[in-house]
Amino acid sequence: MAHINGYVVAAGDKKKASQPSWNWVLINGTGETKALDVDKYAVMHRVQIHARDLRIIDPNLSYPSTILGRERAIVLNLEHTKAIITSDEVLLRDPSHENVIPIVKELERRLPVGNQAHHGQGDGKESSAAHNDADAGEEDESPFEFRALEVFLEAICSFLAARTTELETTAYPALDELTSKISSGNLDRVRKLKSATTRLTARVQKVRDELVHLLDDDDDMADLYLSRKLSCPCSMASSPNCYLTSPTIGSKISRASVATVREDENDVEQLEMLLEAYFMQIDSTLNKLTTLREYVQDTDDYISIQMDNRRNELIQLEVVLGSGTVCSAFYSLVAGIFGMNIPYTWNDNHGYMFKWVCIVTGAICVFSLVFIMSYARFKGLMGS
């Protein structure tokens, strides 16, 4: 036997005790918060989930956004939020994270219902604010797990919407500046913004896909009704691990109870309305990112057109220089002919020949230049 962290651990359990502990914060139905530093085996035993479900919220592993319903808990992995929701408490990973701290405060404020919301509060303004929260809580008759799930969905949707707004505020002026002035600095800035847009779009798309997956499957939504499962006769059995036993336990349940439970399980309208509200919000965020990506693509196309225009201007200059070289070559030919030391009869007393050769050569040069320029314009190399 050995004592580890105040627990008595048997020799066969030393391997489990050697597992690294995780930082958790526990929030119950009264809004009370308690810090926990336990390993994964303690968490598995507390919420009765498997190790494969706990891996979903492991920060060292890369898992997509997931909302997973189990018999006694909801495993939630959305962005930086990694939590386990039961019918009466919430376990939240990394409570000291800067993006998780506001979620903890919001859970403390919204999870209590009725008199629990203002229990232990002082008089004056604090009591009045607590009473308002209590009134709001009394109006919300949703189960505990839905109130917690709503807080997480609201936090994630607001977080992604805020990141999208920040990106839009930075991206649109940068793109407009690039269209007015093409420079290496502006191009590098837009490249980074384009990469950020692609990454953020992928993150928003994962959350949206998970919500779509839940909305399209009534059975998955029914698995998130933890409070309803507690009213199931199986959950009221003497064994706490009733849900892990063989299906023979079903033979002990009356047919009338099973029919009632099945009728209740088919009613997922409350959760469907909750998920649909945040689906519309995350879909709106995705539409904004899609519009931003299209604007980036349009800017890219505009820059490509401008670069093609500059390239055509360089080709035009090359054609002009080439035409001038051809014209100079004709005059070099005349100079070469009359400069040779070869005796020929028409060179004596025929000075007018030089003038006629120069005139004809100049005419040929002008004609060649006009022909080349016209041909270049016909091919569209000179632009409009």
Side-chain angles (χ1 to χ4, degrees):
M1 306 291 289
H3 294 271
I4 299 178
N5 292 334
Y7 295 95
V8 178
V9 183
D13 294 337
K14 289 183 178 180
K15 182 177 180 181
K16 294 182 179 181
S18 63
Q19 293 291 332
S21 60
W22 290 355
N23 293 324
W24 297 84
V25 61
L26 186 146
I27 307 171
N28 57 23
T30 62
E32 297 178 357
T33 303
K34 179 182 178 182
L36 298 178
D37 189 11
V38 295
D39 60 12
K40 65 179 183 180
Y41 292 104
V43 176
M44 291 165 54
H45 178 73
R46 185 183 186 95
V47 299
Q48 298 182 2
I49 60 175
H50 299 286
R52 60 177 176 269
D53 300 328
L54 201 58
R55 283 197 297 268
I56 296 175
I57 57 177
D58 192 338
N60 297 322
L61 302 177
S62 178
Y63 275 89
S65 297
T66 304
I67 301 176
L68 188 63
R70 286 295 180 256
E71 187 68 23
R72 302 290 180 89
I74 298 174
V75 183
L76 186 140
N77 176 25
L78 295 176
E79 290 291 315
H80 50 269
T81 304
K82 304 179 186 300
I84 300 175
I85 305 173
T86 66
S87 59
D88 56 359
E89 64 183 17
V90 176
L91 286 170
L92 185 59
R93 284 292 311 274
D94 298 330
S96 59
H97 193 279
E98 60 179 354
N99 294 323
V100 178
I101 293 177
I103 300 178
V104 175
K105 295 180 179 179
E106 190 68 13
L107 288 171
E108 293 174 352
R109 187 182 69 86
R110 295 173 59 176
L111 287 184
V113 178
N115 295 329
Q116 296 175 353
H118 56 87
H119 178 70
Q121 296 290 337
D123 298 334
K125 296 181 179 180
E126 293 182 358
S127 178
S128 177
H131 182 70
N132 293 334
D133 290 343
D135 293 340
E138 290 177 352
E139 295 177 357
D140 187 3
E141 299 179 355
S142 301
F144 174 86
E145 62 271 17
F146 288 176
R147 298 199 305 274
L149 181 61
E150 183 176 6
V151 172
F152 288 120
L153 289 175
E154 180 180 348
I156 295 303
C157 291
S158 300
F159 173 80
L160 293 175
R163 299 290 85 76
T164 301
T165 302
E166 292 178 1
L167 187 60
E168 286 179 328
T169 305
T170 307
Y172 283 115
L175 292 170
D176 294 338
E177 184 179 356
L178 179 62
T179 55
S180 61
K181 181 181 179 182
I182 301 176
S183 63
S184 58
N186 290 337
L187 287 172
D188 183 67
R189 184 183 177 189
V190 171
R191 179 187 62 83
K192 293 179 181 179
L193 290 173
K194 186 176 181 180
S195 300
T197 303
T198 302
R199 291 193 299 268
L200 184 58
T201 302
R203 293 163 58 186
V204 174
Q205 185 69 50
K206 290 178 181 179
V207 177
R208 180 185 181 276
D209 290 344
E210 181 60 23
L211 293 179
V212 170
H213 173 73
L214 287 174
L215 289 170
D216 289 344
D217 196 328
D218 290 348
D219 293 336
D220 288 342
M221 285 191 288
D223 289 338
L224 302 183
Y225 279 81
L226 302 181
S227 300
R228 177 187 296 173
K229 295 177 185 178
L230 293 178
S231 62
C232 175
C234 176
S235 63
M236 298 172 62
S238 59
S239 174
N241 296 327
C242 174
Y243 71 101
L244 293 176
T245 57
S246 62
T248 57
I249 191 66
S251 61
K252 301 178 182 179
I253 305 175
S254 64
R255 294 182 179 180
S257 299
V258 173
T260 303
V261 170
R262 287 180 177 176
E263 289 178 0
D264 291 339
E265 288 179 351
N266 293 331
D267 183 15
V268 293
E269 182 178 357
Q270 183 181 9
L271 179 59
E272 186 175 5
M273 293 177 62
L274 173 65
L275 295 177
E276 186 175 357
Y278 290 101
F279 167 76
M280 294 176 63
Q281 184 175 348
I282 200 69
D283 189 63
S284 175
T285 302
L286 183 61
N287 290 335
K288 291 181 180 179
L289 289 172
T290 302
T291 303
L292 179 58
R293 291 186 63 182
E294 292 176 353
Y295 193 82
V296 171
Q297 185 62 41
D298 292 341
T299 304
D300 190 15
D301 295 340
Y302 176 75
I303 297 302
S304 299
I305 293 173
Q306 281 193 335
M307 298 300 292
D308 291 339
N309 186 41
R310 299 288 178 84
R311 191 178 298 110
N312 291 340
E313 291 178 356
L314 292 176
I315 294 175
Q316 174 188 354
L317 178 61
E318 183 180 358
V319 169
V320 173
L321 293 177
S323 302
T325 303
V326 172
C327 295
S328 301
F330 278 106
Y331 285 100
S332 300
L333 176 62
V334 175
I337 293 174
F338 284 93
M340 290 187 297
N341 275 334
I342 300 176
Y344 40 86
T345 57
W346 56 269
N347 191 26
D348 298 333
N349 299 323
H350 294 85
Y352 62 92
M353 284 296 297
F354 179 77
K355 296 179 180 179
W356 279 107
V357 170
C358 291
I359 293 174
V360 173
T361 304
I364 293 175
C365 291
V366 172
F367 175 78
S368 301
L369 181 61
V370 172
F371 175 78
I372 293 173
M373 297 294 287
S374 300
Y375 180 77
R377 182 180 295 275
F378 176 76
K379 289 295 184 180
L381 297 177
M382 295 181 62
S384 57

